[in-house]
């Protein structure tokens, strides 16, 4: 049974990671699959949930459950807004790209075979193209059988919130941002675009706007 589960995880992660931004450690994959299985989520939602969960984790892993839900709701509001793409993966990864030199040199290469990378610091969500390696470290600490508790809990919450946000689990999450489609970390920055948006409120370390 254990071998079968591992095999399923390998197949799932190979498929999901092809369209998502982060690398998942073995424990993170187990958490992902465990939450999806517990909620009996259909396969067709798996990639979208992983994209959304990664966005929640990297944007708000130190936030409360409500803070994580707020980031999730902003992402959902963008998916439902005609100004943004219509899928979670496209919204999370939105931004200008550049083609890899490995494929750019071949003029007759089919479009589907070309490789593109996001331009650094030009994405809608900064974690996706900040130049840092994006890894879900929900894993065992070195020399110990204890998980990195904070990260593991944050990742599990992120996946669960993503499931609830898509409305494919046992519960659904209401929008706690009043329709926000923008936010920023007010302890770190005050973006120039904030002056042109409507202030909605503060939750945790983020200010929400539309």
């Amino acid at each position: 049974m254990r071998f079968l589960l591992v095999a399923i995880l390998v197949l799932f992660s190979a498929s999901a990671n092809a369209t998502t931004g982060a690398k998942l450690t073995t424990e993170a994959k187990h958490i992902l699959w465990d939450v999806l299985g517990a909620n009996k989520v259909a396969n067709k939602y798996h990639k979208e949930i992983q994209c959304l969960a990664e966005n929640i984790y990297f944007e708000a892993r130190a936030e409360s459950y409500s803070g994580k839900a707020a980031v999730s709701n902003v992402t959902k509001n963008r998916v439902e807004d005609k100004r943004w793409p219509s899928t979670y993966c496209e919204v999370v990864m939105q931004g200008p790209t550049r083609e890899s030199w490995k494929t750019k040199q071949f003029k007759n290469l089919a479009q589907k075979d070309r490789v593109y990378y996001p331009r650094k610091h030009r994405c809608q969500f900064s974690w996706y193209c900040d130049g840092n390696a994006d890894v879900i470290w929900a894993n065992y600490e070195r020399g110990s059988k204890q998980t990195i508790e904070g990260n593991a809990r944050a990742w599990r919450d992120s996946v669960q919130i993503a499931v609830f946000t898509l409305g494919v689990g046992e519960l659904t999450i209401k929008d706690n941002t009043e329709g926000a489609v923008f936010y920023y970390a007010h302890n770190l920055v005050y973006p120039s675009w904030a002056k042109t948006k409507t202030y909605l409120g503060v939750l945790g370390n983020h200010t929400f706007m539309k």
Side-chain angles (χ1 to χ4, degrees):
M1 185 65 182
R2 176 71 173 178
F3 174 78
L4 178 60
L5 177 60
V6 171
I8 291 173
L9 281 169
V10 169
L11 289 173
F12 171 78
S13 64
S15 174
N17 282 338
T19 57
T20 58
K23 176 182 178 181
L24 274 62
T25 59
T26 300
E27 187 64 20
K29 293 174 186 176
H30 280 282
I31 290 172
L32 173 64
W33 190 254
D34 180 56
V35 174
L36 292 174
N39 286 276
K40 299 179 181 179
V41 178
N43 290 343
K44 64 181 180 179
Y45 298 113
H46 287 187
K47 290 179 182 178
E48 289 286 271
I49 287 171
Q50 185 174 344
C51 285
L52 178 55
E54 289 176 8
N55 203 42
I56 298 167
Y57 178 84
F58 286 111
E59 291 285 302
R61 66 176 175 269
E63 296 284 325
S64 65
Y65 200 88
S66 294
K68 292 183 179 68
V71 168
S72 185
N73 282 319
V74 168
T75 314
K76 180 181 181 179
N77 291 341
R78 288 191 176 194
V79 171
E80 295 178 346
D81 190 307
K82 293 181 179 180
R83 291 174 292 176
W84 282 274
S86 59
T87 72
Y88 286 91
C89 289
E90 289 176 317
V91 165
V92 171
M93 300 178 192
Q94 188 179 18
T97 61
R98 60 176 178 80
E99 186 176 358
S100 169
W101 64 269
K102 293 181 179 180
T103 60
K104 190 175 183 179
Q105 59 184 313
F106 300 105
K107 295 182 178 180
N108 297 325
L109 192 66
Q111 186 64 33
K112 66 181 180 63
D113 296 322
R114 297 188 178 277
V115 177
Y116 293 89
Y117 297 106
R119 293 188 179 276
K120 192 174 181 179
H121 302 309
R122 299 279 300 278
C123 300
Q124 293 286 322
F125 296 100
S126 59
W127 70 269
Y128 184 64
C129 62
D130 61 3
N132 297 323
D134 300 311
V135 183
I136 310 292
W137 287 109
N139 213 337
Y140 292 105
E141 293 194 35
R142 184 173 298 179
S144 170
K145 292 185 178 181
Q146 298 296 316
T147 58
I148 303 174
E149 185 177 357
N151 283 357
R153 187 190 310 113
W155 175 235
R156 182 175 292 275
D157 287 348
S158 296
V159 178
Q160 190 69 76
I161 290 169
V163 170
F164 291 163
T165 300
L166 266 71
V168 294
E170 297 177 352
L171 301 172
T172 57
I173 288 183
K174 293 183 178 180
D175 188 356
N176 60 347
T177 71
E178 300 183 16
V181 288
F182 301 100
Y183 64 83
Y184 63 92
H186 49 253
N187 292 329
L188 300 176
V189 296
Y190 181 74
S192 58
W193 53 258
K195 298 178 181 178
T196 66
K197 310 304 177 186
T198 301
Y199 170 84
L200 294 174
V202 171
L203 183 55
N205 293 317
H206 291 122
T207 295
F208 294 86
M209 313 187 84
K210 67 177 180 181

